Amino acid sequence: MKIILFFIFYLISFVISDSDVIPLGYESHNDSLVIKYNINENYYTNISFLWNGKSRYDMSFNCVLNNTIRTCTLPVKESDHAQMYSEKIIACTENNGIFQMCGLKVHLLFFPSPLIISEFRPKTRGGNTTLSGYYLELQERLFVEFENHYFDDQFRWAYGLYLIPDVFESKTPDRINIKLDIYPGCGYRTIVWENRETFNFTYQDPNIEKIDINQSTLDITGTNFYNQSIFVSVKIDNNIIDPNDIISVDFENIKLKFNYSDPFSSKLNVQVGCCDYWSNKFQITYPPIPSSVNSIPKLKGGLLIINGDRLTSSSSNNNNISVTVGDSNCSIVSSSSNEIKCNLQPFSNSKLNNSPLIIVSINGVVNTNELLLNYDIPYITTFSQVNDEIHIIGGCFGNINSTQIQINGKQVLNQIKSINNDETILILNVQNQIYNFNISMESNSIKSNEINVDVKMYTRINEIPSVGNKLINFTLLYVNSININSIPTIKILNEKSNQTIKSILTNVNESVVSCSFLIENNCGIINYEIEIGNQRYQSSFSYESPFINNCNLNSNEIVICIGKAFGNTYNETSIIISNQSISIKKEINNSSYESISFQMNEEYNILGELYLNVCGLSSNKVIINTIPIFKNISIPNLFDKNGGDIIIIGKYLNNNNTNITIECNGEEILEKEFKLNNSSTSLECNIKLNGPNDKNCKLLFNYDKNNSNNIVSTFNLIYKSPSINQTSIINLKQGGILTIIGNDFYYPIDKVTIISDNGNGSGDNLNCDEPKFINDTMITCFIQATNYTFNNIKNGEMIFINVSTNGKSGTSKVFKYLTQSDDARQYSDARNIFQNLLLSILIIVIISLFISNI
């Protein structure tokens, strides 16, 4: 059809006469129509709308020439719009102000386009759709041409026209709103007017109204979908689903495959796209489905266990999960895909609702089903056998005084041993002859469910056997009546032979069997299996664990440990000191159940903890009681005014030094500190004892007044002699105070002497009088004015000076004296230095002035 129309327009273009009007362009406005022409072209001056050859409506153009372009404007009043329709339009024309003709037929091919005044968005289903605007019916239109931009659309080649149904059948047609019969479609389309100008529009966007969630499909209901799946897409959480999962499409319904398999609750956003135009986001939820919950005591509260599906969050954070029971929050303990555990606080008011609603919220998604919590309904979930006790597990068991037990349908008394405070564990006093029964209970006048309890045979050892005890006594509980007269046997499972031993003594009391077995050479943990008839029971028992009373090291360096259950063969017993194992075969000298001994070697850490391992059982840990062994004393350095250190050499020394006494010059030294090295072979002792007099000392090791075998070691404390580092310089002719700097000076200072022979053994000495002790590094003395000179000492040469204090003497070559000539020479030297300094300053000033004048 488009080709035909184009051909018609093409032919028309060849039959245009000289009197026809060929515009350059058009403008359509609410109050005017504007046509532009070249300066030499014919143009409309008047226009008339004719209808049925009877009615006529005339309008005039106002034309203005601007250079080479003539603009003609047709004013349009509001009342004109209703009259601007016709079967035929004629016009009068001019050319440069010269009349050309009247009655020229006006083709819409050369006339302004309609002006659309409201949004035009047809439904995707198509059908009659109103198009609103001005100048739509200047001439009778039977169709409106359009372009389809979607090449795969089934309506692409459907005539290429939008029909105008019943356009002139009405006696009072609406000239502003016309109906178009629109083909089904979606997305972007274009209307092509007669003058080849276009109007673009889009079909209405798809809209989702509801989504029905089935087990593996989604049924989407809404408006403005499309019935061709090639143009339809579905997004779920911004992910476009596989087109092959779309089952069917229609204008109001889309069905697609979607199997939500995640184990957690969530919200999902769904969108439908038609020709790439997307719908609103519609949220669907996969809510948690709590299906069952246990009962708890209302006045005690307790742990709620909610079972169901999708009971967890996609994250591991339980903060996204909440449970409310009525108006109360239940504190989350844990969650999984099919279970939530939470603690609910007790209600103090027993009159509150006894069946509150449970609401589970996960990531803001709330369950839609109804689940009620029924308080105080007893229930039994399972049982457990703990040794010879039967534990019934469940909830709302009440208390021991009000709860009734039914065994095999009959009420029994005095069978409840205890009920825990949470009412979740009930311990039975089961009669020994009953080993298989059905149990239920009644609490709060409500009867629980019933479960079957199958009690297994249980054995217990009557007392912990001691090492070496061969006769072991057992008690067998819950023995079936058919097995009661059978002879029990025991098999030791940790023996390679798996020997079976029969009971040597058996006693029967209802379903309780007492039996005794002779078990040879065992200790530690014994795994066993007892069999009587067709009943078997596997368990283990332990022999008495080793216990150490004490371990002592004697003078021969042998460690002797006293205790019990030490084992009876070397292979069964090992000794560990500070995690170091001792080879028993090489070092045990004597072994019995009560004592064990071994030789202490250098590589063992005697100060570490010692314990025994007997057949895998560990004893208590003890510290070996040692006797320190003394060897000798070492004094690494001379003592000074603060005292000094001595080192005691030996073995097995420790910091507990109350058994070490030091006496110097007959007096016990109280101010002393000990420091033990890591190997316990040396003990450093810091003695605070002032000098300078040397002292005769003795060490009493492990001293005991009543013991004549005390170890006593004598040693001397030697103090450092004074040392002289430097002195002040003094003029002998003037005399004065001499300051001496050094170390290890003591009070009082006996004598200070300047030695004139300079170490040659001849000549006189000069005494420095009135020596005074300032501190241990400084003393002073006074030299009388004298004319004495040291003839054999060269000028500037150092002279020996000696300091004596408390019998200690120190000499150093550090003294230097001045004569009168020395003073004069020093003055002359100073004057020369000063003159040279002034000369240098003068030269620098002259050079600076010279440079500044350049």
Side-chain angles (χ1 to χ4, degrees), residues 297 299-301 397-399 418-425:
L299 299 181
K300 292 184 178 179
F397 288 163
N399 60 71
S418 65
I419 297 176
N420 69 341
N421 186 60
D422 294 333
E423 302 183 20
T424 57
I425 299 176

Side-chain angles (χ1 to χ4, degrees), residues 142-184:
L142 298 178
F143 57 84
V144 176
E145 185 182 2
F146 77 98
E147 291 182 355
N148 185 348
H149 303 279
Y150 300 93
F151 292 94
D152 295 325
D153 196 330
Q154 62 179 335
F155 301 109
R156 176 171 171 74
W157 305 109
Y159 309 113
L161 302 172
Y162 287 148
L163 300 180
I164 305 177
D166 306 325
V167 65
F168 288 117
E169 292 181 4
S170 173
K171 293 182 180 180
T172 57
D174 186 349
R175 304 305 175 192
I176 297 176
N177 302 291
I178 65 172
K179 291 183 179 179
L180 297 181
D181 187 7
I182 304 296
Y183 291 107

Side-chain angles (χ1 to χ4, degrees), residues 562-575:
I562 305 299
K564 61 179 179 178
F566 286 174
N568 57 354
T569 65
Y570 292 167
N571 293 332
E572 297 168 348
T573 304
S574 59
I575 300 174

Side-chain angles (χ1 to χ4, degrees), residues 215-235:
Q215 187 172 2
S216 59
T217 61
L218 295 181
D219 198 346
I220 306 174
T221 301
T223 56
N224 293 306
F225 302 153
Y226 200 31
N227 67 344
Q228 296 185 58
S229 60
I230 191 173
F231 294 108
V232 176
S233 301
V234 178
K235 285 182 184 178

